[in-house]
Amino acid sequence: MGGFLIPVLVIGGLVIVYILSYALNKNTPIPEECLEIVDSTKCESCHSFTCTYKK
Amino acid sequence: MSFTVFATAIISAMLINNVILMQFLGICPFLGVSKKSSSAVGMSAAVLFVMVIASAVTYTIYDLVLYPFDIPYISTIAFILVIASLVQFVEMVIKKFSKPLYKSLGIYLPLITTNCAILGVSEGNITGIWTETMPYWEGLFTAVSVSVGTGLGFGLIIFAFSSIREKLDGSNVPASWKGVPISLVVAGIMSLAFLGLAGII
């Protein structure tokens, strides 16, 4: 049981850390000076679902 | 911990075991973000930045958590999650505290989450550097040195490749070779050239 529980806890903890970091990053506003860079970003080749610029 | 270790690790990771041309990692940004030199420089800087932090964090997690709890077999999935979280944190911190840095690196940071070179270096640090008896700080120093060298090697190659691609755009290349085919031929020749550096150290 212990041999199964520890890896599950470690991976579960890391998943929670990831979800928190993603939510925090998504809620952090982009600086006004940088908005035009983000608008000109063309997402043609990268299909990363973690991308915060994806509309 | 000495300058010799640092210099050897950097030269070896940068030129002899180059992450792109010798290990064939990070090929996606190598081909995708090398059309313009300016993008290549931005991407290289972002990769170097994240690679160094990710190496230090993953080495620490392996040495202090995964190995003591006898669960090194989950290292790959743990490292993927650590790198993905780290990229989100780094992006958030840069967004909040350093606008000029965000302006230059910001749009490249999400791409790094899916860059296998970062994961490759983190895994390589464990298989190639980490040993049971090695003191933590010594291993960490070597791992960070290797990641600095790898990041610089990534930057060197992607910048050189982007410069060649910019030159090729203005050259008289046969229609069937234009674009990706000639770029792949150039990448192959660069890889062969770097093979000549094998065995220097």
Side-chain angles (χ1 to χ4, degrees), chain B:
Chain B
M1 281 191 252
S2 66
F3 179 74
T4 319
V5 174
F6 183 67
T8 311
I10 284 191
I11 292 169
S12 167
M14 191 174 164
L15 300 172
I16 299 158
N17 290 316
N18 189 277
V19 70
I20 296 174
L21 298 178
M22 302 307 284
Q23 298 178 46
F24 306 111
L25 295 171
I27 299 292
C28 178
F30 174 63
L31 293 172
V33 198
S34 58
K35 282 182 186 161
K36 282 195 293 176
S37 297
S38 56
S39 325
V41 170
M43 183 67 183
S44 315
V47 166
L48 178 63
F49 190 68
V50 173
M51 197 175 265
V52 173
I53 301 173
S55 290
V57 173
T58 51
Y59 188 89
T60 305
I61 285 181
Y62 189 87
D63 196 73
L64 303 180
V65 180
L66 301 184
Y67 182 73
F69 285 102
D70 199 26
I71 46 171
Y73 55 88
I74 63 160
S75 63
T76 305
I77 192 159
F79 290 177
I80 290 170
L81 287 165
V82 166
I83 292 164
S85 311
L86 202 66
V87 170
Q88 298 292 334
F89 269 120
V90 167
E91 193 184 337
M92 186 183 67
V93 170
I94 289 178
K95 227 188 256 182
K96 196 115 181 149
F97 299 108
S98 178
K99 284 165 194 170
L101 197 61
Y102 183 76
K103 217 167 184 173
S104 51
L105 302 186
I107 54 168
Y108 302 106
L109 283 171
L111 278 170
I112 292 170
T113 312
T114 50
N115 188 348
C116 63
I118 311 281
L119 181 65
V121 171
S122 301
E123 287 280 8
N125 285 339
I126 301 307
T127 51
I129 297 168
W130 185 89
T131 55
E132 211 175 324
T133 50
M134 183 179 267
Y136 167 70
W137 288 109
E138 196 179 316
L140 185 68
F141 178 75
T142 314
V144 169
S145 307
V146 167
S147 66
V148 170
T150 309
L152 290 174
F154 182 90
L156 173 78
I157 298 306
I158 201 167
F159 181 70
F161 190 59
S162 65
S163 306
I164 295 170
R165 281 184 84 172
E166 277 179 351
K167 211 159 175 67
L168 279 173
D169 283 343
S171 309
N172 187 19
V173 179
S176 56
W177 285 88
K178 263 186 183 157
V180 178
I182 193 76
S183 302
L184 290 173
V185 170
V186 169
I189 294 169
M190 283 174 81
S191 185
L192 281 174
F194 265 73
L195 205 62
L197 294 171
I200 283 182
I201 293 180

